[in-house]
Amino acid sequence: MQILRYMKGFNILIVFLMIFWSSEAQNTQSETGKHSNSTEMYASFGEKIEANGAIGSKEMLAAYETMTIKDSLQTKFTGTVMEVCKAKGCWMKVALDNGEEAMVRFKDYGFFMPKDIEGKEVVLRGLGFKSILSVEDQRHYAKDAGTSEEDLKKITTDKKTYSFEADGVLLKQ
């Protein structure tokens, strides 16, 4: 009789441990950055964000067009990656509408993106703003992207740009 009580307690302990290990395995998977969002798989970078509620790239361009250099907008939008820093993934350019693009950097250099994601869809959350990109910065980013020395010399004037500082990014898998 005593042995049956111990076996019952042991079986209950085993069930609890299995549940605990199962939930730990799920937590480990989400910490590595892969999670499902609206039945689609995303790799997550930076702060954890959700894909729902993001505006499209056309709406983001419309928002940028109404801004002045001093304005900013906390938002979340989707777009297609056009270019990524080939040195370490520390910036990317995301397509907007009508051939425009947003220069995306990552908050406090807290995370980087894979270097081979051109053409992939991303969801970005953060701060959008207009800025002036100096000749020096333009050359720096162009060099990171693998631009030739000859083409680097063609960059001679500052450029008004749509900028975005992302605190979280989802990369569609």
Side-chain angles (χ1 to χ4, degrees):
M1 203 50 125
Q2 193 74 330
I3 212 122
L4 290 176
R5 196 178 322 150
Y6 286 122
M7 287 180 69
K8 184 178 178 182
F10 180 75
N11 287 339
I12 291 172
L13 176 65
I14 294 294
V15 169
F16 281 120
L17 287 174
M18 289 175 66
I19 291 170
F20 175 75
W21 283 326
S22 173
S23 68
E24 282 297 309
Q26 289 175 350
N27 288 341
T28 302
Q29 183 177 2
S30 68
E31 286 172 13
T32 61
K34 300 231 184 216
H35 59 89
S36 179
N37 207 337
S38 304
T39 71
E40 298 183 70
M41 291 298 292
Y42 291 91
S44 181
F45 301 86
E47 292 182 17
K48 184 176 179 182
I49 67 171
E50 298 292 325
N52 56 353
I55 63 174
S57 56
K58 186 175 187 172
E59 293 83 5
M60 190 64 204
L61 177 60
Y64 274 126
E65 289 175 341
T66 64
M67 290 181 187
T68 66
I69 295 293
K70 295 180 182 180
D71 292 338
S72 64
L73 173 67
Q74 184 70 36
T75 191
K76 181 172 27 171
F77 81 100
T78 61
T80 302
V81 177
M82 296 173 54
E83 197 174 338
V84 180
C85 171
K86 298 300 181 196
K88 56 185 171 179
C90 58
W91 57 263
M92 65 182 170
K93 292 181 181 177
V94 175
L96 295 172
D97 198 32
N98 297 331
E100 297 289 340
E101 61 189 27
M103 178 63 169
V104 180
R105 294 177 199 91
F106 310 109
K107 187 174 182 182
D108 301 325
Y109 285 96
F111 60 99
F112 300 109
M113 297 301 293
K115 298 179 235 176
D116 61 347
I117 60 170
E118 286 90 357
K120 298 260 183 153
E121 184 180 317
V122 290
V123 178
L124 306 145
R125 184 187 71 187
L127 192 66
F129 56 96
K130 278 185 181 178
S131 62
I132 302 294
L133 201 56
S134 70
V135 170
E136 181 181 327
D137 286 343
Q138 289 180 70
R139 287 180 178 171
H140 171 83
Y141 294 129
K143 186 174 181 180
D144 282 352
T147 303
S148 71
E149 286 296 323
E150 182 179 313
D151 287 339
L152 289 176
K153 291 177 184 175
K154 293 178 183 176
I155 301 171
T156 58
T157 59
D158 292 349
K159 175 182 171 185
K160 189 180 294 185
T161 185
Y162 300 129
S163 298
F164 198 86
E165 182 181 77
D167 59 20
V169 178
L170 295 175
L171 173 63
K172 189 173 179 181
Q173 299 295 293

